[in-house]
Structure formats: structure tokens, C-alpha cells
Amino acid sequence: MGTPLLVILSGLILGGLLNVLIVRIPREGRLLGWPRCTRTGEALTWWQFIPVVGWVLQRGRARNGQPLHWIYPFVEVVCGLTLLRLYQLYGLGPAFYYLTFVCAVLVITGAIDWLYRYIYTAVIFGGVIVAFLFSLVTGMIDWRLMILGALAGGFVFLLFYLLARMLFPSAGVPFGLGDVYLAIFIGTAVGFLHLGAALFTGMILAGIVSAGILIVRATGRPTPTYIAYGSYLCLGVILFIASGGIGG
């Protein structure tokens, strides 16, 4: 079995483990114990826990017939492809493991924001601390650029948040403080020099979706009143990293 295939399988397994966190952090508030079905609460059998395959074999439905969310196999596929791409870019060196961790935090945050419209500060700031310490040890990114990135990302998105509060005083605010915290993590993870490009990718994705919603709304069709901005931001940064934006 070649290394690329092992990397993909490792990514799929990582995605399955991240799904456990994505389910448990907002729903159960615990991390230990055998995974349970999100619909029935029953303990999963071993084959249901197999990444992607378990979801397909169940035809996307729980035992009681309720649909299982598509985001769970999506998370596993994204992790598999992301790890393969990181391996192609960096081999199995420090950059591979550092960026795998960064992408894992982004996957957890983006998926939870999509499902529950909430960004957990414990995940974000835990990620900030680990990313900073990892980079100090390995020299991945200059610590001064990490601090500048965190400050710049937080400041810019704090301005967005305050502006949104003024423009939408009685409606759902497009930006939340969670997005500010997320920008701090992104600035720390990629550093000041890469911050603009990383954020821009996610903002473009969110902008395209928002424009699509406005177009559909103009036709009189029902549309969402909220978009998970943090989810698009996370996906955009993952795409930026997978494009080799951080460099070798």
C-alpha cells in the first residue's frame, strides 16, 4: 500500500474522529465514550463508524428512517483530500502536521457553525495556543508574524462586527463575535503575510453565496435569512492552504 493511499485513509479516519467532536461539543458537552447516532441516540456499530462507507451503507438514513446530515461524509472526504494535498506539497515534514492541525480546527469550527450557528471559543483559542507553540518549536511561521496576524485579523473583523451591528440593529447580524475570534485564529495560523489572501478566499465564497441568495430572493422564492459566514471562511482558508498558499 503506497504512502498516498495511507495518507488518504488517515485523513478519512481523522474526519471520522472530528465528526465525533462536531457532534459532541455542542450536543453532549463530553468527549469520551462510544459514538452514538445523532438521530436515535443508539450506540453505533463498528461498520456505521467507517468513514463515508458507513453513511453510504445506511443510505444516508438512521435506523428510524430519519435522514443523516450530509455534512458528516463531507467532513471525512474534505479531510482525506486535504491530507493528500498537504502530503503532495510538504511530504511528512513539520509543515504537514502543523497544517493538518490548523485544518482540523477549521473543519470542526466550520461544521459546527453550519449546523448550530455557533463558534466555540474553547476550540478557537485552544487552537491559537497549540498553533503558536507548534510554530515556536518548529519555526514554521515567525512568532512575530503570528502575533501581528492575530491582531490584524481580530481588528478587521471587529470593525466588520461593529459595522454590522449598526446596519442591522433589529435583525440577525451577519457577523458575530465568533467570527472575530475565528479571524484571530486564522491570523495566528497563517501569519500576517498570508492573512489577506487566506481571508479573501473565504470572503469571496461567502459573497458568492450571498449574491445567489439575493438573486433567488428577487424572484420571490423563499431563501435563508442567515448564512454561516464562519463556515465559508473556514472552507476558504482550507482551500487557500491546499493551494500551497503558505509556501514550502
Side-chain angles (χ1 to χ4, degrees), residues 214-232:
L214 293 176
I215 292 171
V216 173
R217 186 175 298 170
T219 66
R221 298 180 182 179
T223 58
T225 58
Y226 169 90
I227 69 166
Y229 194 89
S231 300
Y232 293 106

Side-chain angles (χ1 to χ4, degrees), residues 39 52 54-62 65-70 73:
R39 297 302 190 187
V52 181
W55 191 89
V56 171
L57 290 177
Q58 295 178 91
R59 298 180 181 179
R61 292 189 176 276
Q66 294 187 63
L68 300 171
H69 206 290
W70 56 264

